[in-house]
């Protein structure tokens, strides 16, 4: 039988018709017809096949729970029949529409026989996988193949799956011998389809999902092999810059062609040379190949991980890592210099290219949040000086037209908002490289920004993001689809091959095989995307950083705080919350009031006063929460003249600031709160004690932020204290001018606090860093902290740190815990650890207990390695040094000063492994 028009050959090089196609290599996705119900059936059936029915019941239960299948499960047999029956129905329906001759019905199982066959099959009979092509059954001699597919044989039955992983045919009642000897070139009827075997697929290629993957080689990530096996039609990435030269030009080129910078100096950063197949594809004119060398002016300032990153980006945008793809995602954690790596890449490619010295880029576009536009320009100047490159920033006074009209500029920096406004003009400019900073915002493919950016014809696309992008597999797909469109197939394929099995395998109730399949698919997805996604954590530079000492300080509440706290807890609102009356979320108001009280009673006082001045308010719950509370305050209390002795935390803070000011007067402090009102209180404290300060919160205009930050970080900063609202800090805010950071209150989202800490302990920090977190002992703040650290312990929970809304939902049990005040404990968190030290000695748990497995990432199981950007887990906290403060002399001079108001301290010192390097 002749293969005439199999899609793999239409798309591939029809000339070299391979007899044997290595699994997965040349297959392409072609069919798109599916329904939701079918997916469910496939799942049922797959489970059925693998397990021989043994623990089928439990698995179907799992699926019922998770996917709302309405099958009533009474016995294993019944479900099987049902599943098989519906599949038959589908195939029959398909037959009808296809007008398949009746004779072919012979190949179709009836519901009865399918069940019997399945039951008869030996449980250990061998499953085999084949890559095949298929067409509708016909008597014609010349087959018109309609698609690639995967054939799975087991015992006497077969399943045919299209390249999206969807069932397109099933059959049973074959001779076992016939299936057993199935081999390349042989044909078989499956349902109404005829198939021809193209090759054998390994079980591994099937379970990893690799066999469904078009476009990327299965095993080798080696760029050479990839480009050589490329079957995609040539596409023109270099067309615009690298035009074929005339003979004369070529001669001239080859004479004058030498690397722009010396590749042989000791510190030179030389990009990898393109291999033969890359040259064959992108150097048609046969120009001389020259080394691309990063300008030593910038290369001399690069850390090792940054050099690696630049090579990675270079290979991606050159199409050297994945043939025919030019996108990359650089997902390094904050503080690793993503901007610098991009600047080095842009500068290199604006001046150089591997073929005939021709620069690869003419123009590059950087899209970034509005608050960072100026920062990008500043970084360009910082690393390259203003004489090497002129970058154009688009703002009110500098329109896109100016950039178009001027030959001076080759880099344009624009905010996402401005991009949307001037999209028409930007579309008319030809950019050869597109960099999307904070690009996780493109995680939704339907938003305007994504559509706008996709409309730019530029193929070389880089997404920069510091947010872990693997937490949500749908968002993950959207980001990948943006940088390398089509590389994971259609969305429905992706869901079936990767997302569904992976998500299912992470569910606590997943069966062993589901776990195994999910893990394999996850591993394959990681391998595949790892070709163009690079993520490093801060660990890579921690060794260059000075030590970091973190202290969690449990501050005793004052008598007034305790009395107010008890009053609030006894209110009718909280009582009714605990009885489950949660309409209009009154618990959130209660939580808010308690948090204010912990920061300072005057904040609660102010809230009560405002409420009473506003009688028309409909907030019944809030007024009733405050009922009688005002009587607890002293008669002459006013919110304007607050006293620091009314708040446990503020007492500690005042002493701590005094200690730092006295002992370490040259060093500065960042003081963080989540609340503007609290910042006002803290600001008053600064005024009262004569500490110079500067402030950045939500009201600070974007245009002034950079200046405030620069001034503070400068050598001669007049400010001793930087008052920072953690919510308004924005991304990428660098406050290395300070070496002490105090978190005055706590956020539900651990990411907020972690981000705040990273502003100080980051690249460029020269002093040992001290971080203090203040918590009111026994109060709601401890509970929030416990929730932060126990989050990681929740089994099976996928935690997305970027989501903040989850704290609005609490069970009654959780609320009871939140609304309990522990007056006699010196540290409830320590009590919870069930540590037996009694807080009496400097205690450091050295047990070998391993930290739990982190679940924050959906595609990679992170095996609990401590990471400065991840919230601590309970068991990690246990390993911190901790002690109750009574009757002890503390080695820490700062803490010694404050211990009077402190009940307990957890402390940990991170010491870098190697001495600080350079600058
Ligand atoms: Zn202990």
């Amino acid at each position: 039988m002749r293969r005439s028009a199999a899609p793999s050959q239409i798309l591939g090089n029809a000339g070299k018709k391979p007899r044997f196609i290595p699994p997965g290599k040349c297959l392409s996705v072609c069919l798109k017809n599916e329904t939701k119900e079918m997916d469910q059936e496939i799942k049922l059936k797959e489970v059925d096949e693998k397990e021989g029915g043994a623990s089928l019941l439990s698995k179907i239960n799992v699926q019922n729970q998770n996917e709302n299948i309405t099958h009533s499960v009474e016995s294993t047999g019944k479900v099987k029949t049902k599943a098989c029956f519906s599949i038959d129905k589908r195939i029959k329906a398909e037959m009808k529409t296809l007008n398949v001759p009746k004779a072919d019905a012979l190949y179709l199982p009836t519901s009865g026989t399918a069940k019997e066959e399945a039951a008869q099959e030996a449980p250990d009979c061998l499953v085999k996988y084949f890559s095949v092509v298929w067409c509708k059954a016909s008597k014609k001699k010349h087959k018109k193949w309609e698609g690639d597919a995967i054939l799975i044989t087991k015992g006497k039955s077969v399943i045919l799956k299209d390249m999206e992983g969807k069932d397109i045919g099933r059959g049973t009642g074959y001779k076992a011998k016939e299936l057993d000897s199935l081999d390349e070139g042989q044909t078989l009827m499956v349902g109404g389809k005829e198939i021809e075997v193209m090759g054998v697929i390994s079980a591994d290629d099937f379970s990893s999902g690799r066999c469904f993957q078009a476009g990327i080689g299965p095993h080798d990530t080696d760029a050479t092999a990839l480009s050589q096996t490329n079957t995609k039609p040539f596409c023109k990435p270099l067309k615009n810059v690298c035009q074929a030269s005339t003979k004369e030009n070529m001669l001239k080129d080859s004479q004058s062609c030498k690397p722009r910078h010396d590749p042989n100096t000791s510190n030179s950063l030389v990009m990898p040379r393109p291999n033969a197949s890359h040259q064959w594809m992108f150097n048609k004119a046969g120009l001389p190949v020259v080394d691309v060398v990063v300008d030593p002016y910038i290369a001399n300032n690069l850390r090792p991980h940054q050099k690696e990153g630049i090579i990675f980006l270079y290979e991606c945008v050159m199409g050297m890592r994945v043939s025919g793809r030019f996108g990359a995602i650089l997902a390094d954690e904050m503080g690793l210099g993503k901007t610098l790596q991009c600047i080095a890449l842009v500068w290199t490619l604006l001046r150089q290219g591997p073929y005939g010295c021709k620069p690869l880029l003419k123009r590059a576009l950087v899209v970034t949040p509005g608050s960072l536009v100026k920062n990008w320009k500043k970084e360009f100047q910082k690393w390259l000086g203003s004489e090497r490159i002129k970058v154009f920033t688009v703002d009110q006074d500098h329109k896109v037209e100016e950039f178009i009209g001027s030959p001076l500029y080759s880099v344009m920096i624009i905010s996402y908002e401005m991009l949307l406004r001037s999209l028409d003009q930007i579309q008319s400019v030809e950019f050869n490289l597109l960099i999307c900073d904070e690009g996780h915002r493109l995680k939704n493919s339907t938003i305007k920004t994504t559509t706008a950016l996709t409309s730019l014809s530029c193929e070389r696309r880089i997404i920069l993001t510091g947010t872990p992008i693997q937490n949500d597999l749908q968002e993950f797909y959207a980001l990948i689809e943006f940088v390398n469109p089509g590389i994971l197939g259609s969305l429905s394929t992706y869901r079936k091959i990767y997302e569904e099995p992976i998500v299912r395998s992470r569910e606590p109730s997943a069966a062993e095989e589901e776990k195994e399949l999910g893990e394999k698919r996850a591993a394959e997805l990681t391998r595949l995307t790892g070709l163009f996604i690079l993520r490093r954590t801060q660990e890579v530079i921690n060794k260059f950083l000075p030590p970091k000492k973190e202290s969690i300080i449990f501050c005793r509440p004052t008598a007034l705080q305790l009395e107010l706290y008890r009053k609030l807890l006894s209110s009718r609102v909280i009582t009714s919350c605990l009885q489950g009356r949660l309409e209009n979320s009154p618990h959130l108001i209660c939580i808010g009031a308690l948090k204010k009280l912990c920061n300072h009673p005057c904040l609660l006082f102010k809230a009560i006063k405002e409420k009473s001045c506003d009688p028309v308010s409909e907030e019944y719950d809030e007024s009733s929460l405050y009922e009688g509370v005002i009587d607890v305050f002293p008669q002459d209390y006013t919110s304007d003249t607050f006293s620091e002795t009314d708040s446990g935390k503020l007492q500690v803070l005042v002493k701590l600031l005094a200690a730092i000011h006295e002992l370490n007067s040259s060093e500065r402090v960042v003081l963080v709160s989540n609340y503007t009102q609290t910042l006002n209180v803290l600001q008053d404290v600064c005024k009262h004690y004569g500490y110079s300060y500067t402030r950045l919160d939500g009201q600070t205009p974007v245009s002034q932020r950079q200046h405030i930050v620069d001034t503070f970080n400068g050598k001669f900063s007049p400010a001793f204290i930087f008052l920072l609202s953690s919510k308004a800090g924005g991304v990428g805010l660098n406050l290395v001018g300070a070496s002490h950071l105090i978190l005055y209150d706590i956020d539900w989202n651990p990411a907020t606090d972690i981000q705040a800490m990273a502003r100080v302990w980051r690249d460029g920090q020269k002093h040992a860093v001290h971080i203090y977190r203040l918590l009111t002992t026994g109060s709601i703040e401890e509970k929030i902290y416990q929730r932060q650290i126990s989050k990681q312990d929740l089994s099976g929970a996928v935690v997305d740190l970027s989501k903040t809304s989850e704290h609005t939902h609490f069970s009654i049990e959780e609320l009871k815990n939140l609304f309990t005040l522990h007056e006699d404990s010196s540290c409830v968190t320590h009590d919870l650890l069930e540590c037996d030290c009694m807080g009496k000695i400097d205690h450091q748990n050295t047990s070998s207990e391993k930290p739990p497995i982190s679940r924050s990432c959906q595609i990679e199981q992170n095996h609990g390695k401590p990471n400065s950007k991840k919230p601590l887990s309970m068991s990690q906290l246990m390993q911190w040094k901790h002690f109750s403060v009574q009757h002890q002399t503390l080695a820490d001079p700062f803490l010694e000063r404050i211990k009077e108001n402190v009940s307990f301290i957890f402390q940990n010192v991170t010491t870098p492994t190697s001495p600080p390097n350079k600058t």
Side-chain angles (χ1 to χ4, degrees), residues 529-577:
T529 54
L531 293 172
F532 53 91
I533 297 177
L534 183 63
R535 175 169 176 82
R536 277 86 51 93
T537 63
Q538 209 177 355
E539 306 308 310
V540 301
I541 53 162
N542 283 355
K543 58 173 180 279
F544 300 112
L545 289 177
K548 172 178 72 167
K549 187 187 245 182
E550 282 179 80
S551 307
I552 305 164
I553 301 170
F554 295 81
C555 310
R556 288 193 186 286
T558 62
L560 177 63
Q561 279 177 311
L562 286 173
E563 206 176 332
L564 287 165
Y565 210 106
R566 286 189 291 253
K567 185 78 189 172
L568 287 173
L569 289 188
S570 65
S571 72
R572 271 185 297 127
V573 183
I574 287 189
T575 322
S576 68
C577 278

Side-chain angles (χ1 to χ4, degrees), residues 336-556:
L336 295 192
K338 291 189 286 288
T339 310
L340 171 56
Q341 294 171 63
C342 286
I343 289 171
L345 178 81
V346 168
W347 175 237
T348 305
L349 296 182
L350 280 172
R351 288 291 176 274
Q352 306 174 59
Y355 300 128
C357 293
K358 285 182 184 299
L360 200 75
L361 310 179
K362 260 187 196 153
R363 293 196 189 92
L365 176 63
V366 177
V367 193
T368 180
S371 59
L372 294 175
V373 170
K374 277 197 180 143
N375 190 59
W376 268 90
K377 184 174 188 170
K378 225 186 67 187
E379 291 280 311
F380 264 101
Q381 276 164 4
K382 176 177 169 191
W383 298 109
L384 291 169
S386 43
E387 70 280 4
R388 281 179 184 72
I389 189 167
K390 281 186 114 48
V391 297
F392 186 87
T393 50
V394 180
D395 56 37
Q396 300 302 340
D397 307 321
H398 303 87
K399 307 276 183 219
V400 176
E401 287 87 341
E402 197 183 323
F403 174 83
I404 301 172
S406 167
L408 282 174
Y409 303 104
S410 42
V411 177
M412 180 162 105
I413 301 164
I414 191 170
S415 68
Y416 284 98
E417 301 75 35
M418 201 65 99
L419 173 100
L420 287 178
R421 261 183 267 159
S422 32
L423 185 61
D424 285 347
Q425 292 105 298
I426 289 170
Q427 277 170 334
S428 72
V429 188
E430 199 175 314
F431 289 101
N432 319 107
L433 176 65
L434 170 60
I435 295 172
C436 301
D437 191 15
E438 299 299 333
H440 47 263
R441 65 175 61 204
L442 305 176
K443 66 192 179 188
N444 183 344
S445 55
T446 57
I447 58 166
K448 261 191 192 162
T449 312
T450 314
T451 325
L453 286 165
T454 310
S455 77
L456 303 180
S457 58
C458 180
E459 268 189 307
R460 295 193 194 91
R461 297 176 180 173
I462 297 175
I463 279 183
L464 303 181
T465 173
T467 310
I469 54 172
Q470 286 100 334
N471 285 353
D472 182 311
L473 285 170
Q474 282 189 38
E475 296 174 356
F476 186 61
Y477 178 82
L479 292 175
I480 287 174
E481 186 65 11
F482 177 75
V483 292
N484 282 328
I487 197 159
L488 292 176
S490 70
L491 181 58
S492 60
T493 307
Y494 171 79
R495 286 203 171 135
K496 223 160 293 160
I497 308 293
Y498 298 111
E499 189 182 337
E500 285 169 13
I502 292 171
V503 170
R504 210 181 315 144
S505 74
R506 299 289 156 89
E507 278 154 12
S509 52
E512 241 355 274
E513 292 100 89
E514 286 175 322
K515 279 185 191 158
E516 202 177 302
L517 184 73
E519 268 164 35
K520 281 192 169 162
R521 293 281 161 96
E524 175 61 8
L525 186 58
T526 306
R527 185 197 69 81
L528 202 61
T529 54
L531 293 172
F532 53 91
I533 297 177
L534 183 63
R535 175 169 176 82
R536 277 86 51 93
T537 63
Q538 209 177 355
E539 306 308 310
V540 301
I541 53 162
N542 283 355
K543 58 173 180 279
F544 300 112
L545 289 177
K548 172 178 72 167
K549 187 187 245 182
E550 282 179 80
S551 307
I552 305 164
I553 301 170
F554 295 81
C555 310
R556 288 193 186 286

Side-chain angles (χ1 to χ4, degrees), residues 830 835 837 843 882:
H830 181 251
C835 174
C837 75
H843 186 86
H882 57 269

Side-chain angles (χ1 to χ4, degrees), residues 166-451:
K166 192 168 33 135
D167 276 19
I168 53 169
R170 276 163 188 275
T172 187
Y174 297 93
K175 286 182 188 135
K177 223 196 229 165
E178 183 187 8
L179 293 187
D180 216 37
S181 63
L182 203 60
D183 202 0
E184 192 191 327
Q186 286 181 317
T187 60
L188 192 74
M189 299 297 288
V190 179
K193 298 185 176 67
E194 181 170 351
I195 61 105
E196 182 176 332
V197 176
M198 308 293 289
V200 182
I201 293 172
S202 70
D204 193 43
D205 274 343
F206 179 79
S207 54
S208 69
R210 225 174 271 147
C211 65
F212 295 101
Q213 200 59 51
I216 296 188
H219 293 290
D220 39 17
T221 57
D222 175 59
T224 317
L226 285 174
S227 347
Q228 277 161 358
T229 55
N230 174 56
T231 56
K232 288 186 156 297
F234 172 75
C235 41
K236 40 91 223 188
L238 304 186
K239 191 180 79 186
N240 308 307
V241 191
C242 215
Q243 278 143 353
S245 318
T246 63
K247 279 224 167 117
E248 287 150 66
N249 277 340
M250 271 175 66
L251 200 64
K252 234 173 34 195
D253 284 344
S254 62
Q255 283 160 351
S256 63
C257 245
K258 54 182 198 327
R260 191 179 165 91
H261 307 285
D262 185 359
N264 298 316
T265 60
S266 61
N267 206 19
S268 67
L269 175 57
V270 187
M271 296 296 112
R273 284 194 164 215
N275 62 24
S277 76
H278 191 275
Q279 295 180 30
W280 185 82
M281 287 199 343
F282 299 116
N283 190 20
K284 300 272 186 212
L287 298 172
V289 176
V290 274
D291 277 326
V292 173
V293 185
V294 176
D295 191 339
Y297 186 84
I298 197 166
N300 288 338
N301 289 312
L302 296 169
R303 291 254 160 92
H305 77 275
Q306 292 166 337
K307 292 184 176 177
E308 268 170 44
I310 293 163
I311 292 174
F312 162 83
L313 291 174
Y314 176 83
E315 290 181 332
C316 286
V317 302
M318 290 294 293
M320 287 161 73
R321 294 183 72 89
V322 186
S323 181
R325 312 283 183 179
F326 307 92
I329 298 178
L330 183 59
D332 284 348
E333 271 184 341
M334 207 181 357
L336 295 192
K338 291 189 286 288
T339 310
L340 171 56
Q341 294 171 63
C342 286
I343 289 171
L345 178 81
V346 168
W347 175 237
T348 305
L349 296 182
L350 280 172
R351 288 291 176 274
Q352 306 174 59
Y355 300 128
C357 293
K358 285 182 184 299
L360 200 75
L361 310 179
K362 260 187 196 153
R363 293 196 189 92
L365 176 63
V366 177
V367 193
T368 180
S371 59
L372 294 175
V373 170
K374 277 197 180 143
N375 190 59
W376 268 90
K377 184 174 188 170
K378 225 186 67 187
E379 291 280 311
F380 264 101
Q381 276 164 4
K382 176 177 169 191
W383 298 109
L384 291 169
S386 43
E387 70 280 4
R388 281 179 184 72
I389 189 167
K390 281 186 114 48
V391 297
F392 186 87
T393 50
V394 180
D395 56 37
Q396 300 302 340
D397 307 321
H398 303 87
K399 307 276 183 219
V400 176
E401 287 87 341
E402 197 183 323
F403 174 83
I404 301 172
S406 167
L408 282 174
Y409 303 104
S410 42
V411 177
M412 180 162 105
I413 301 164
I414 191 170
S415 68
Y416 284 98
E417 301 75 35
M418 201 65 99
L419 173 100
L420 287 178
R421 261 183 267 159
S422 32
L423 185 61
D424 285 347
Q425 292 105 298
I426 289 170
Q427 277 170 334
S428 72
V429 188
E430 199 175 314
F431 289 101
N432 319 107
L433 176 65
L434 170 60
I435 295 172
C436 301
D437 191 15
E438 299 299 333
H440 47 263
R441 65 175 61 204
L442 305 176
K443 66 192 179 188
N444 183 344
S445 55
T446 57
I447 58 166
K448 261 191 192 162
T449 312
T450 314
T451 325

